[in-house]
Amino acid sequence: MASHRKPRTRTAGPRTAPVAGITTAALTSIALLSQTATAAPSAPPKPSLEEVQKKVDTLYHQAGVATEKYNAAKERTTKQQKRVGELLDDVAQRTEKLNKARQELGTFAAAQYRTGAVSDTATLLLADDAQDYFDQDQLMSRLTSRQKKAVDDYQTEQAATTKKRTEAAKSLETLTTSQATLKSTKRDVQQKLGDARELLSKLTAEEKARLAAIEKKKQEAARKKAEELARQQAEAEAKRKAAEEARQKENPGTGTGSGTGTGSGSTSSGYATKAAKVIDFAESQMGKPYVWGATGPDSYDCSGLTQAAWKAAGITLPRTTWDQVKVGTTVTTADAKPGDLVFFYDDISHVGIYIGDGKMIHAPKPGANVRVESIYYMPIHSVVRPA
């Protein structure tokens, strides 16, 4: 028999346990994410000493490039200032002549007025276009020869003065541009040098000592290369002398060769004389500080030193390395002679004076003094014989 009891209906109640578990997990994830987001970023790894040295060397090199740009801009600015001054003086003189010519024309106009004649000269002075007015035959026929000359002089001076004023205005614009470039390159040099000083200031005493050791090792490697070049040059010179002696024995009447018709001996002797003066000057500057943009007498940059040294020998060199490298004859490193200029880097941003045995005298960089160094301390670009 079927039961009369109604089946119990189950009411779906909240499933608290699983929900609580999900909520806890979500809160935990949010908390972890929040901690990750607000955590302080980790400090960048400290650069190695080698990386610091490379960065400092790069900054000094860039400062050297900027220094040569500054030197070029300064040279242009100086020339343009002189040119603008000359043009303004010329304009002033021409304006004075123009005023005199105008006064003479005014005298003629006043004379015509006093005699009651038609004042053609006065009309001329008031005309918008003097040339069109002169094209009128009736005016030209009424001018005396003196008046005609005065009018011609006035026209000539007016045209010349206008031309010079235009030229002066353009020169002033160019000068303004050069001065802006000068200021910009100066800031660039100062920025590069400031960055280099900041990097070095962060080094500990131990790191500075290690950096000095790295520098000494670099100089030692360059010194060995210089010694090898000196050995090769000595061997080449010995072979040359032996060949010359053998030639003299075979042809005793030919002499030493210095008096031959080629003139090569006298040319070599003349260059050696100049080179000796160059090196004497450079040696006398040793110990003076490198200062970018300086040309002496108390401090120098690299091209300032080479320019001053060759000036002591009576030879005028341009101001920048980029111009100095174009003056003279390019020779191989193996054929370098004392007095030659040795240029460095692909961008030709440094120069020194070769003194023999693979060495040079140069103004190295900020913080250093004029000194002797191996030419292999930096990558060589070329060697040039200026005179």
Side-chain angles (χ1 to χ4, degrees):
M1 184 175 61
S3 174
H4 296 282
R5 184 181 301 174
K6 292 182 179 180
R8 181 181 298 176
T9 302
R10 293 187 178 183
T11 304
R15 302 176 67 180
T16 57
V19 172
I22 293 173
T23 302
T24 302
L27 290 174
T28 303
S29 299
I30 291 172
L32 289 173
L33 288 171
S34 176
Q35 290 176 1
T36 303
T38 57
S42 58
K46 186 176 181 180
S48 67
L49 204 56
E50 289 74 13
E51 289 173 336
V52 171
Q53 185 197 36
K54 184 177 180 180
K55 180 63 175 176
V56 169
D57 288 346
T58 298
L59 287 169
Y60 278 141
H61 179 202
Q62 291 173 346
V65 175
T67 296
E68 292 306 308
K69 289 181 180 178
Y70 172 85
N71 293 338
K74 186 176 181 181
E75 189 175 40
R76 285 196 304 271
T77 300
T78 300
K79 289 180 179 178
Q80 287 162 357
Q81 284 176 330
K82 183 179 179 181
R83 178 58 179 159
V84 167
E86 291 172 348
L87 285 171
L88 292 177
D89 288 343
D90 191 14
V91 167
Q93 292 173 4
R94 290 181 182 278
T95 301
E96 185 177 355
K97 290 181 180 179
L98 186 63
N99 290 336
K100 288 181 179 179
R102 185 181 287 112
Q103 287 174 0
E104 188 171 5
L105 287 177
T107 302
F108 294 146
Q112 288 178 346
Y113 178 79
R114 284 194 300 270
T115 59
V118 177
S119 180
D120 295 322
T121 307
T123 306
L124 167 64
L125 289 174
L126 296 173
D128 292 333
D129 191 334
Q131 186 58 49
D132 288 346
Y133 191 79
F134 284 132
D135 289 340
Q136 301 177 34
D137 293 337
Q138 66 270 23
L139 174 63
M140 297 303 294
S141 63
R142 296 170 73 175
L143 292 174
T144 66
S145 60
R146 182 182 174 189
Q147 289 173 326
K148 177 66 167 61
K149 183 179 183 304
V151 170
D152 289 343
D153 289 346
Y154 177 80
Q155 283 187 303
T156 301
E157 287 301 330
Q158 187 179 44
T161 303
T162 300
K163 182 179 178 181
K164 286 298 180 181
R165 281 174 178 165
T166 302
E167 188 177 348
K170 289 182 179 179
S171 294
L172 281 171
E173 290 178 3
T174 304
L175 176 59
T176 301
T177 301
S178 295
Q179 289 173 331
T181 302
L182 189 64
K183 291 179 181 179
S184 175
T185 52
K186 183 176 181 178
R187 286 194 300 268
D188 192 20
V189 173
Q190 292 172 332
Q191 180 64 48
K192 301 297 183 187
L193 296 180
D195 291 345
R197 285 192 294 267
E198 184 179 359
L199 277 173
L200 292 173
S201 68
K202 293 179 180 179
L203 297 178
T204 64
E206 180 184 356
E207 287 173 330
K208 289 179 180 178
R210 287 172 53 201
L211 192 64
I214 293 174
E215 176 69 12
K216 186 176 181 180
K217 185 177 180 181
K218 178 182 177 181
Q219 291 177 340
E220 181 64 19
R223 183 185 64 79
K224 289 181 178 179
K225 286 186 177 181
E227 289 176 350
E228 177 60 21
L229 176 61
R231 184 188 65 78
Q232 293 174 359
Q233 288 180 329
E235 288 180 356
E237 179 63 15
K239 289 179 180 179
R240 187 195 66 78
K241 287 183 178 180
E244 178 66 21
E245 290 174 358
R247 187 185 65 78
Q248 289 180 32
K249 288 180 180 179
E250 292 176 1
N251 304 285
T254 60
T256 62
S258 60
T260 62
T262 63
S264 60
S266 59
T267 301
S268 177
S269 175
Y271 182 77
T273 301
K274 290 185 177 70
K277 293 179 180 178
V278 170
I279 294 173
D280 285 345
F281 178 89
E283 287 177 342
S284 69
Q285 308 309 306
M286 287 179 58
K288 292 184 178 180
Y290 174 102
V291 174
W292 64 273
T295 56
D298 299 322
S299 58
Y300 298 89
D301 62 17
C302 65
S303 55
L305 176 64
T306 53
Q307 185 186 48
W310 268 100
K311 185 177 181 180
I315 302 297
T316 300
L317 294 181
R319 177 64 182 92
T320 69
T321 55
W322 302 318
D323 290 329
Q324 289 181 7
V325 75
K326 301 173 186 177
V327 178
T329 304
T330 301
V331 299
T332 64
T333 303
D335 291 332
K337 292 182 179 180
D340 291 351
L341 300 181
V342 187
F343 295 89
F344 300 91
Y345 302 109
D346 291 338
D347 53 19
I348 321 176
S349 57
H350 192 74
V351 62
I353 302 167
Y354 190 68
I355 59 173
D357 295 335
K359 299 175 184 177
M360 66 176 170
I361 295 176
H362 71 143
K365 59 186 178 182
N369 297 331
V370 176
R371 67 192 183 198
V372 173
E373 199 142 45
S374 166
I375 62 173
Y376 293 102
Y377 182 76
M378 294 167 283
I380 297 172
H381 174 272
S382 58
V383 180
V384 172
R385 192 158 297 153

